Amino acid sequence: QLTELIEAPVPEPDSMDFSTYLVTTEIDADNCEYFLGSTEIEFERAIASEANINPTTYSLCLIQAKEEQDVDALASAVRKNANPMKWICTGLPDDAVYVDKAGDIVILIMSATDGEALLEAFRSLAESPNET
């Protein structure tokens, strides 16, 4: 399912049919509850990747902790508040919600088909040495 969204052909500029694309959205005070399940979660910056149209039940959020913020507590708050039933037409079981952290970044993945693979990719990136 996710692979189909990533590999979708680019629409012609005049067609404006972006219905099969992933959209990256900055998470802010106005949409924090939708993406993270609460307006009470504090962070430095956060982004979300979701399908342009629903009912594709896929969401990936990257949340950067504030300086000196307890990243374990941030990850715990994200896990506690994640809402796998946020989609209007459908939802996901609780075991399709994945939360992990690396450095000052917390990842939230909600996906019935790609969650484990995305989590492993995140962990691999977190473990790889930085190349400059």
Side-chain angles (χ1 to χ4, degrees):
Q1 184 179 33
L2 181 58
T3 302
E4 292 172 12
L5 291 171
I6 292 170
E7 294 176 352
V10 177
E12 294 297 319
D14 58 351
S15 76
M16 298 305 287
D17 179 17
F18 293 94
S19 61
T20 59
Y21 276 79
L22 295 175
V23 175
T24 301
T25 304
E26 187 88 22
I27 299 174
D28 58 24
D30 293 331
N31 61 20
C32 187
E33 187 168 11
Y34 173 75
F35 289 112
L36 303 180
S38 173
T39 59
E40 303 298 316
I41 297 175
E42 293 186 22
F43 51 85
E44 182 65 32
R45 182 169 185 237
I47 59 171
S49 170
E50 291 195 339
N52 192 36
I53 60 169
N54 288 330
T56 302
T57 50
Y58 155 78
S59 182
L60 185 147
C61 300
L62 293 172
I63 305 109
Q64 181 182 22
K66 292 181 176 184
E67 190 172 330
E68 306 295 323
Q69 187 175 7
D70 182 342
V71 180
D72 289 326
L74 175 59
S76 179
V78 168
R79 179 62 184 103
K80 176 184 173 194
N81 289 287
N83 179 9
M85 298 301 292
K86 71 181 191 172
W87 296 279
I88 294 170
C89 298
T90 187
L92 293 169
D94 196 51
D95 65 355
V97 177
Y98 304 84
V99 176
D100 203 354
K101 63 182 178 49
D104 67 344
I105 303 295
V106 172
I107 189 167
L108 165 63
I109 302 163
M110 292 192 280
S111 173
T113 57
D114 301 299
E116 290 181 22
L118 289 166
L119 185 61
E120 285 306 312
F122 173 75
R123 290 175 176 162
S124 293
L125 286 172
E127 293 172 2
S128 66
N130 292 335
E131 295 181 23
T132 55

